Each structure stands twice: as structure tokens, then as C-alpha cells.
């Protein structure tokens, strides 16, 4: 599982970069592929504040890079295992690169263009809510304004996206209706119609490079379509670009494709958001499946990273 916006934190993965040559090489390769702006991106990653990291033009490529580098290491460790990739938002682009849909050169260009488009996009943000999507949507209908459901992450967890000018009123309204909520680390209204113009430009950019797309070489479940990606899905540019402005179906994707048989869900990127969601699955609650986190904000040690990898690899390889 590869996370998206909101999971980032300062210096995420820095200890791995210092101690794991394979991780370092993969992340350096991404920075090289990103091109113009990579030096600034490195500086924000290592020395920026949480506020800097909330800004999409920084957070999105850095989340991609950390997810990608971690994925390179994990896929090598689990090369004899039956692996399925699933990414949340920009994490889906990292999963697609690991699966071979994009080569790293194209992926770097895509993330650079995505960052450029976000610089000019409307300002806004995300609100994480601990209520069902249905109940939160009902409250948004009463409120009006730009707020929409941006993601359904679990059976009782959803995310609201809205314009900057509506954020405070939306949070006040949800709080007054006893909806536990908090602002996520984002300064753009991801997965809302407000980003539709940027998504269209992104689609035009990728269409110019469509000849470089390839069928996925690994099984990949999409949180955009909530189904396993087929060769037919890979080719239209819109499949990879419209998710910027449309709802993330992470919970439906997990439940529909990964809950009928035992799985070990490993969140290989930063944070714990996807692990918390996976723990809501019936198979996990019943003890048939397990959940593993690898890169938490407060436990960043390289030794822990290696130990977790060894333990998971021993189970499946």
C-alpha cells in the first residue's frame, strides 16, 4: 500500500536514505528523472517544515519518490512472493511505475508537470472525518459551498475537499453536527471539481507521451476505478490523470479486491493512514489477514525497517 497526500512528514525516509544503498539509489534516480526543481525538492524534504510539506507541489513528488524508492526495496525483498500493489492518489502513480506502466523517466516528467499545475491551481484543503461517507455527504448537502467527498478510506473514515475560503465554515459545521474531523496536510483541494482544469491539462501532457505506456507487469488494484487494472485500463491517459479531480475509492478497492482471502497488508510508504483503514476490513478484524506499517513518523530507525522486511519476507519467500 502506497499512501498519498496527508501522509507526508519532514525528513520522511531520511534514515533509510542514509543507511540503505538500494533505497538511496532509487530515490536519487527519481530526483534525476524529476529534473528542474529537484534540488529545491531535496531541500524541502530534508529541511522543510510540516507547513512546507503540506504544499502539493512539494508533497506530491516527494511522496511519489519515497513510495517509489521503498517499493524498489520491498519488491526486491519479495521477488518470489505474490504481490499486489495499491496506491492512494499520487501513491497510485508510484504503484504504476513500480508495476512498469511508466518508466522512471516518464514518471519524473509527470510529477514535475503535476507540481507545475498545482502551483497554479486553486487553493484549498482536505478535512479527514471519522464518520461514514453517507452521513458526511448529508451534512455537506445542508451546508452547500464547494465541499465534496474526496475519498472514502474506510467504513467510518472519509475525506472532504473544498476551497480555502470554505474550509473554516465546513469544519465548524461538521463539528457542530458531532462529526470528528481535522484538517489534513494539504493546501490544494485534491479530488474535487476545483482541480478539473489542472487534471485536463495533465491529461493533455500525458497524451503526448502515451506511446511510452506499457501493460502492468505486476497485479495492481486501482483506487481510482476500484478494480484490478487490466491492459485496457493502462492506455488512456485519462485513467492516470483524472483521479486528481475525482474521488478516491480506496475502501471499495480494498474491500472488493483484497478481503475475500487472507492477505498481509504492508504500508511501505510514510505514515499509518492506509494501515488504519486496512484494519477495518472484516478479514483483518477476524484475524485472517494482518497489517504492517513500515515508516511511521515517530519510529524512523533503519534497523526497524530491515527487521520488518525480514519478517515479512520469511512469511512469503
Amino acid at each position: 500500500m502506497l499512501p498519498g497526500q496527508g501522509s507526508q512528514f519532514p525528513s520522511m525516509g531520511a534514515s533509510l536514505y542514509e543507511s540503505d544503498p538500494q533505497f538511496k539509489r532509487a530515490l536519487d534516480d527519481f530526483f534525476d528523472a524529476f529534473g528542474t526543481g529537484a534540488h529545491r525538492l531535496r531541500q524541502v524534504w530534508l529541511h522543510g517544515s510540516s507547513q512546507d510539506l503540506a504544499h502539493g507541489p512539494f508533497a506530491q513528488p516527494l511522496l511519489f519518490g519515497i513510495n517509489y524508492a521503498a517499493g524498489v526495496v520491498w519488491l526486491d525483498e519479495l521477488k518470489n512472493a505474490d504481490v499486489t500493489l495499491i496506491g492512494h492518489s499520487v501513491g497510485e502513480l508510484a504503484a504504476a511505475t513500480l508495476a512498469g506502466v511508466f518508466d522512471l523517466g516518464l514518471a519524473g516528467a509527470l510529477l514535475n508537470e503535476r507540481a507545475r499545475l498545482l502551483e497554479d491551481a486553486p487553493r484549498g484543503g482536505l478535512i479527514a472525518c471519522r464518520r461514514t461517507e453517507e452521513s458526511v455527504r448529508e451534512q455537506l448537502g445542508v451546508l452547500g459551498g464547494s465541499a465534496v467527498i474526496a475519498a472514502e478510506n474506510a467504513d467510518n473514515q472519509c475525506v472532504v475537499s473544498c476551497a480555502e475560503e470554505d474550509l473554516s465554515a465546513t469544519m465548524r459545521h461538521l463539528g457542530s453536527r458531532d462529526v470528528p474531523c481535522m484538517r489534513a496536510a494539504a493546501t490544494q483541494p485534491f479530488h474535487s471539481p476545483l482541480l478539473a482544469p489542472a487534471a485536463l491539462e495533465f491529461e493533455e501532457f500525458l497524451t503526448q507521451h502515451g506511446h511510452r505506456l506499457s501493460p502492468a507487469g505486476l497485479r495492481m488494484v486501482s483506487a481510482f476505478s476500484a478494480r484490478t487494472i487490466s491492459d485496457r485500463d493502462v492506455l488512456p491517459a485519462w485513467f492516470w490523470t483524472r483521479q486528481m479531480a475525482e474521488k478516491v475509492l480506496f475502501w471499495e478497492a480494498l474491500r472488493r479486491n483484497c478481503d475475500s482471502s487472507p492477505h498481509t497488508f504492508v504500508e511501505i510508504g510514510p505514515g499509518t493512514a492506509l494501515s488504519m483503514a486496512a484494519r477495518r476490513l472484516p478479514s483483518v478484524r477476524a484475524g485472517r489477514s494482518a497489517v504492517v506499517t513500515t515508516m511511521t513518523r515517530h519510529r524512523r530507525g533503519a534497523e526497524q525497517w530491515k527487521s520488518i522486511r525480514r519478517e515479512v519476507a520469511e512469511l512469503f519467500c
Side-chain angles (χ1 to χ4, degrees):
M1 299 187 296
L2 295 85
Q5 187 84 26
S7 293
Q8 74 277 6
F9 54 85
S11 300
M12 53 185 175
S15 64
L16 308 181
Y17 186 82
E18 295 169 358
S19 62
D20 190 316
Q22 192 176 23
F23 183 95
K24 180 180 187 301
R25 186 163 54 250
L27 189 53
D28 283 342
D29 287 345
F30 166 69
F31 282 129
D32 289 343
F34 186 79
T36 304
H39 176 72
R40 174 62 173 151
L41 205 56
R42 281 181 181 269
Q43 293 301 111
V44 172
W45 169 46
L46 294 174
H47 307 294
S49 66
S50 294
Q51 187 173 0
D52 294 329
L53 267 264
H55 195 42
F58 296 139
Q60 295 275 298
L62 286 172
L63 280 164
F64 176 96
I66 299 298
N67 278 328
Y68 170 77
V72 167
V73 176
W74 273 94
L75 288 177
D76 184 58
E77 192 82 59
L78 299 174
K79 53 180 170 283
N80 296 319
D82 181 14
V83 173
T84 296
L85 299 171
I86 181 170
H88 191 292
S89 189
V90 71
E92 184 155 305
L93 296 182
T97 305
L98 292 166
V101 175
F102 311 119
D103 62 52
L104 188 57
L106 176 55
L110 286 175
L111 269 294
N112 197 306
E113 177 67 5
R114 189 177 172 109
R116 183 190 71 80
L117 291 169
L118 288 173
E119 285 284 5
D120 298 327
R123 291 296 177 258
L126 302 175
I127 304 168
C129 304
R130 300 202 69 171
R131 282 290 184 271
T132 65
E133 177 184 351
E134 182 180 1
S135 63
V136 173
R137 183 185 289 111
E138 181 180 341
Q139 293 304 325
L140 297 183
V142 172
L143 180 65
S146 65
V148 297
I149 302 292
E152 184 184 22
N153 291 340
D155 57 350
N156 70 336
Q157 298 170 17
C158 65
V159 178
V160 170
S161 178
C162 65
E164 181 69 35
E165 59 268 24
D166 293 334
L167 272 167
S168 295
T170 301
M171 291 193 68
R172 281 197 304 271
H173 177 77
L174 292 172
S176 71
R177 298 304 190 274
D178 296 322
V179 177
C181 60
M182 62 179 292
R183 184 166 179 180
T187 57
Q188 281 79 26
F190 290 103
H191 310 294
S192 94
L194 294 170
L195 288 191
L200 182 59
E201 284 194 59
F202 195 34
E203 181 179 341
E204 291 171 355
F205 179 84
L206 181 54
T207 298
Q208 297 172 15
H209 301 274
H211 62 283
R212 296 171 64 181
L213 298 176
S214 301
L218 293 170
R219 182 173 184 256
M220 184 177 164
V221 170
S222 170
F224 172 59
S225 66
R227 64 173 185 261
T228 300
I229 288 181
S230 67
D231 291 352
R232 185 174 61 253
D233 293 323
V234 166
L235 295 178
W238 61 260
F239 188 87
W240 306 106
T241 58
R242 289 186 189 174
Q243 54 114 304
M244 182 191 290
E246 297 190 20
K247 188 175 77 171
V248 178
L249 306 175
F250 186 75
W251 178 245
E252 184 179 350
L254 271 189
R255 189 168 43 82
R256 182 190 295 181
N257 298 277
C258 305
D259 197 42
S260 60
S261 58
H263 284 75
T264 296
F265 297 93
V266 183
E267 186 166 11
I268 64 171
T272 61
L274 304 190
S275 299
M276 291 172 63
R279 289 190 177 98
R280 304 286 302 179
L281 288 168
S283 65
V284 175
R285 289 181 163 190
R288 297 190 303 273
S289 294
V291 180
V292 177
T293 57
T294 65
M295 202 184 302
T296 62
R297 182 184 294 263
H298 302 297
R299 291 182 296 162
R300 311 181 195 179
E303 285 307 312
Q304 181 203 25
W305 159 267
K306 292 177 183 176
S307 174
I308 293 171
R309 278 169 39 209
R310 283 195 301 267
E311 290 174 12
V312 174
E314 285 171 3
L315 287 173
F316 296 101
C317 299

